[in-house]
Amino acid sequence: DCGTVLEGSAVNPETGKCECPGSQVPIEDDTKCGCPDDLGRLEGSPTDCVVCDIVILGSVPNQDTGMCECGPGSFLNNDTQCERRVLGGGVDPGFGVCPPGQGLINGICFDCNSGGQGLVDGECVDCGTALEGSAPNPDTAECECPEGLIPSVDGTKCEDGSTGVPLPDDVCEIGQGLVDNECKDCKDLGQGSFDNKCVDCNEVLQGSNTNPNTAECECSEGQKISEDRSKCEDSAVVPLPDDV
């Protein structure tokens, strides 16, 4: 059975041999069909192996999927070329893409981890200097903030992902919250919505419950949200003056 012995292969009706489709070859100790490490695949042509940087200028093969992709910090433009945005807007005309985990130093691709550095916008940098508080990811070499922190708006430091300031009510629809910067229905995640985030209501707003209709985190009747928005508390009842 060709597909079992050599995954992705089929019997050649003329020779009777197990052969890989298109321009793919046996890889991984001849156990499956695929493209050599220096070649990649394109959407719509899954069996053809191509030189990524020629077909899509500036692209490299993804190590996991084998697909030709633009590197970190770059995007595919309308001319099927990889480009990188530069600080202040515009596109870096001299941008070159390195394989995953590598970055440019003086225009040459280097393994960032081997030099004790990390990767930011396609370049090898000292993470703590380029993005204060960050450290290199041991697998991807990307400079990443610790859990619970996010890069600041200007991209210079890691800061608390929760500012404590509610987002405008119109960021997401009622019952939704931001997940990876996208509005999601919180009830689909088994959570409630609070300050435009999907959360476990009682943990974020102590004493609250999820409204079954709107998915909003709400305090019980007769209670209100505390000033620091951390818990439900009894509504203060102010007695009327005696002469009223």
mmCIF file of all heavy atoms in Angstrom, residues 201-224:
data_model
loop_
_atom_site.group_PDB
_atom_site.id
_atom_site.type_symbol
_atom_site.label_atom_id
_atom_site.label_comp_id
_atom_site.label_asym_id
_atom_site.label_seq_id
_atom_site.Cartn_x
_atom_site.Cartn_y
_atom_site.Cartn_z
ATOM 1 N N CYS A 201 -17.084 35.854 34.862
ATOM 2 C CA CYS A 201 -17.689 36.998 35.546
ATOM 3 C C CYS A 201 -17.321 37.104 37.026
ATOM 4 O O CYS A 201 -16.858 38.142 37.493
ATOM 5 C CB CYS A 201 -19.208 36.958 35.389
ATOM 6 S SG CYS A 201 -19.774 37.349 33.709
ATOM 7 N N ASN A 202 -17.515 36.035 37.783
ATOM 8 C CA ASN A 202 -17.323 36.109 39.226
ATOM 9 C C ASN A 202 -15.861 36.330 39.612
ATOM 10 O O ASN A 202 -15.568 36.804 40.709
ATOM 11 C CB ASN A 202 -17.850 34.833 39.899
ATOM 12 C CG ASN A 202 -17.904 34.957 41.412
ATOM 13 O OD1 ASN A 202 -18.410 35.948 41.945
ATOM 14 N ND2 ASN A 202 -17.352 33.971 42.107
ATOM 15 N N GLU A 203 -14.936 35.982 38.728
ATOM 16 C CA GLU A 203 -13.524 36.195 39.033
ATOM 17 C C GLU A 203 -13.105 37.638 38.784
ATOM 18 O O GLU A 203 -12.337 38.219 39.544
ATOM 19 C CB GLU A 203 -12.654 35.252 38.193
ATOM 20 C CG GLU A 203 -12.791 33.784 38.579
ATOM 21 C CD GLU A 203 -11.844 32.905 37.782
ATOM 22 O OE1 GLU A 203 -11.004 33.456 37.041
ATOM 23 O OE2 GLU A 203 -11.940 31.668 37.904
ATOM 24 N N VAL A 204 -13.633 38.225 37.716
ATOM 25 C CA VAL A 204 -13.265 39.598 37.367
ATOM 26 C C VAL A 204 -14.133 40.616 38.101
ATOM 27 O O VAL A 204 -13.658 41.663 38.534
ATOM 28 C CB VAL A 204 -13.382 39.798 35.848
ATOM 29 C CG1 VAL A 204 -13.117 41.248 35.466
ATOM 30 C CG2 VAL A 204 -12.419 38.878 35.119
ATOM 31 N N LEU A 205 -15.415 40.278 38.241
ATOM 32 C CA LEU A 205 -16.355 41.148 38.953
ATOM 33 C C LEU A 205 -17.007 40.293 40.034
ATOM 34 O O LEU A 205 -18.034 39.653 39.795
ATOM 35 C CB LEU A 205 -17.388 41.730 37.989
ATOM 36 C CG LEU A 205 -18.450 42.648 38.586
ATOM 37 C CD1 LEU A 205 -17.802 43.875 39.217
ATOM 38 C CD2 LEU A 205 -19.457 43.087 37.513
ATOM 39 N N GLN A 206 -16.378 40.277 41.194
ATOM 40 C CA GLN A 206 -16.802 39.378 42.272
ATOM 41 C C GLN A 206 -18.281 39.559 42.613
ATOM 42 O O GLN A 206 -18.752 40.655 42.838
ATOM 43 C CB GLN A 206 -15.945 39.643 43.522
ATOM 44 C CG GLN A 206 -16.222 38.687 44.671
ATOM 45 C CD GLN A 206 -15.338 38.983 45.876
ATOM 46 O OE1 GLN A 206 -14.393 39.762 45.779
ATOM 47 N NE2 GLN A 206 -15.643 38.376 46.995
ATOM 48 N N GLY A 207 -18.996 38.424 42.612
ATOM 49 C CA GLY A 207 -20.416 38.450 42.960
ATOM 50 C C GLY A 207 -21.330 38.590 41.768
ATOM 51 O O GLY A 207 -22.560 38.537 41.918
ATOM 52 N N SER A 208 -20.780 38.738 40.579
ATOM 53 C CA SER A 208 -21.612 38.916 39.385
ATOM 54 C C SER A 208 -21.917 37.585 38.721
ATOM 55 O O SER A 208 -21.282 36.566 38.997
ATOM 56 C CB SER A 208 -20.919 39.850 38.382
ATOM 57 O OG SER A 208 -19.772 39.214 37.826
ATOM 58 N N ASN A 209 -22.891 37.617 37.832
ATOM 59 C CA ASN A 209 -23.280 36.440 37.056
ATOM 60 C C ASN A 209 -23.462 36.846 35.599
ATOM 61 O O ASN A 209 -23.651 38.027 35.270
ATOM 62 C CB ASN A 209 -24.587 35.851 37.591
ATOM 63 C CG ASN A 209 -24.438 35.274 38.985
ATOM 64 O OD1 ASN A 209 -23.736 34.295 39.181
ATOM 65 N ND2 ASN A 209 -25.090 35.912 39.959
ATOM 66 N N THR A 210 -23.427 35.840 34.729
ATOM 67 C CA THR A 210 -23.613 36.101 33.307
ATOM 68 C C THR A 210 -25.088 36.180 32.977
ATOM 69 O O THR A 210 -25.856 35.267 33.289
ATOM 70 C CB THR A 210 -22.972 34.988 32.457
ATOM 71 O OG1 THR A 210 -21.604 34.835 32.830
ATOM 72 C CG2 THR A 210 -23.052 35.322 30.984
ATOM 73 N N ASN A 211 -25.503 37.283 32.362
ATOM 74 C CA ASN A 211 -26.884 37.421 31.921
ATOM 75 C C ASN A 211 -27.131 36.410 30.801
ATOM 76 O O ASN A 211 -26.424 36.421 29.794
ATOM 77 C CB ASN A 211 -27.145 38.847 31.418
ATOM 78 C CG ASN A 211 -28.589 39.077 31.020
ATOM 79 O OD1 ASN A 211 -29.130 38.376 30.182
ATOM 80 N ND2 ASN A 211 -29.201 40.087 31.623
ATOM 81 N N PRO A 212 -28.110 35.510 30.950
ATOM 82 C CA PRO A 212 -28.327 34.460 29.951
ATOM 83 C C PRO A 212 -28.731 34.981 28.585
ATOM 84 O O PRO A 212 -28.580 34.293 27.578
ATOM 85 C CB PRO A 212 -29.444 33.610 30.575
ATOM 86 C CG PRO A 212 -30.149 34.532 31.522
ATOM 87 C CD PRO A 212 -29.092 35.447 32.051
ATOM 88 N N ASN A 213 -29.242 36.207 28.526
ATOM 89 C CA ASN A 213 -29.687 36.762 27.248
ATOM 90 C C ASN A 213 -28.623 37.611 26.566
ATOM 91 O O ASN A 213 -28.370 37.484 25.375
ATOM 92 C CB ASN A 213 -30.958 37.604 27.454
ATOM 93 C CG ASN A 213 -32.121 36.768 27.972
ATOM 94 O OD1 ASN A 213 -32.339 35.648 27.525
ATOM 95 N ND2 ASN A 213 -32.856 37.311 28.927
ATOM 96 N N THR A 214 -27.978 38.485 27.353
ATOM 97 C CA THR A 214 -27.005 39.416 26.766
ATOM 98 C C THR A 214 -25.565 38.960 26.943
ATOM 99 O O THR A 214 -24.669 39.496 26.279
ATOM 100 C CB THR A 214 -27.149 40.804 27.402
ATOM 101 O OG1 THR A 214 -26.776 40.732 28.791
ATOM 102 C CG2 THR A 214 -28.575 41.306 27.287
ATOM 103 N N ALA A 215 -25.315 38.009 27.843
ATOM 104 C CA ALA A 215 -23.969 37.521 28.170
ATOM 105 C C ALA A 215 -23.157 38.550 28.952
ATOM 106 O O ALA A 215 -21.973 38.344 29.211
ATOM 107 C CB ALA A 215 -23.203 37.087 26.924
ATOM 108 N N GLU A 216 -23.795 39.678 29.351
ATOM 109 C CA GLU A 216 -23.088 40.683 30.125
ATOM 110 C C GLU A 216 -22.923 40.219 31.578
ATOM 111 O O GLU A 216 -23.800 39.546 32.129
ATOM 112 C CB GLU A 216 -23.869 42.001 30.113
ATOM 113 C CG GLU A 216 -23.970 42.666 28.751
ATOM 114 C CD GLU A 216 -22.667 43.334 28.354
ATOM 115 O OE1 GLU A 216 -22.110 44.091 29.162
ATOM 116 O OE2 GLU A 216 -22.206 43.084 27.231
ATOM 117 N N CYS A 217 -21.789 40.558 32.198
ATOM 118 C CA CYS A 217 -21.597 40.284 33.624
ATOM 119 C C CYS A 217 -22.416 41.305 34.406
ATOM 120 O O CYS A 217 -22.215 42.518 34.254
ATOM 121 C CB CYS A 217 -20.114 40.411 34.000
ATOM 122 S SG CYS A 217 -19.043 39.168 33.237
ATOM 123 N N GLU A 218 -23.336 40.826 35.223
ATOM 124 C CA GLU A 218 -24.229 41.728 35.936
ATOM 125 C C GLU A 218 -24.275 41.404 37.424
ATOM 126 O O GLU A 218 -24.164 40.240 37.828
ATOM 127 C CB GLU A 218 -25.642 41.641 35.360
ATOM 128 C CG GLU A 218 -25.760 42.112 33.923
ATOM 129 C CD GLU A 218 -27.182 42.051 33.414
ATOM 130 O OE1 GLU A 218 -28.036 41.457 34.125
ATOM 131 O OE2 GLU A 218 -27.459 42.575 32.317
ATOM 132 N N CYS A 219 -24.434 42.447 38.221
ATOM 133 C CA CYS A 219 -24.625 42.267 39.661
ATOM 134 C C CYS A 219 -26.085 41.907 39.935
ATOM 135 O O CYS A 219 -26.965 42.175 39.113
ATOM 136 C CB CYS A 219 -24.266 43.562 40.396
ATOM 137 S SG CYS A 219 -22.519 44.024 40.280
ATOM 138 N N SER A 220 -26.307 41.297 41.072
ATOM 139 C CA SER A 220 -27.671 40.929 41.453
ATOM 140 C C SER A 220 -28.513 42.175 41.696
ATOM 141 O O SER A 220 -27.986 43.271 41.904
ATOM 142 C CB SER A 220 -27.638 40.068 42.722
ATOM 143 O OG SER A 220 -26.847 38.921 42.531
ATOM 144 N N GLU A 221 -29.841 41.987 41.663
ATOM 145 C CA GLU A 221 -30.749 43.109 41.898
ATOM 146 C C GLU A 221 -30.466 43.729 43.259
ATOM 147 O O GLU A 221 -30.287 43.029 44.253
ATOM 148 C CB GLU A 221 -32.208 42.625 41.816
ATOM 149 C CG GLU A 221 -33.221 43.750 41.892
ATOM 150 C CD GLU A 221 -34.639 43.259 41.710
ATOM 151 O OE1 GLU A 221 -34.814 42.049 41.407
ATOM 152 O OE2 GLU A 221 -35.576 44.071 41.861
ATOM 153 N N GLY A 222 -30.402 45.037 43.299
ATOM 154 C CA GLY A 222 -30.121 45.736 44.549
ATOM 155 C C GLY A 222 -28.635 45.970 44.774
ATOM 156 O O GLY A 222 -28.249 46.546 45.792
ATOM 157 N N GLN A 223 -27.814 45.517 43.828
ATOM 158 C CA GLN A 223 -26.374 45.736 43.946
ATOM 159 C C GLN A 223 -25.875 46.577 42.774
ATOM 160 O O GLN A 223 -26.548 46.742 41.767
ATOM 161 C CB GLN A 223 -25.630 44.404 43.973
ATOM 162 C CG GLN A 223 -25.864 43.584 45.235
ATOM 163 C CD GLN A 223 -24.930 42.393 45.293
ATOM 164 O OE1 GLN A 223 -24.665 41.742 44.292
ATOM 165 N NE2 GLN A 223 -24.429 42.101 46.495
ATOM 166 N N LYS A 224 -24.677 47.095 42.934
ATOM 167 C CA LYS A 224 -24.052 47.886 41.881
ATOM 168 C C LYS A 224 -22.566 47.538 41.801
ATOM 169 O O LYS A 224 -22.017 46.885 42.695
ATOM 170 C CB LYS A 224 -24.221 49.380 42.168
ATOM 171 C CG LYS A 224 -23.479 49.830 43.433
ATOM 172 C CD LYS A 224 -23.594 51.334 43.639
ATOM 173 C CE LYS A 224 -22.760 51.769 44.853
ATOM 174 N NZ LYS A 224 -22.816 53.240 45.054
#
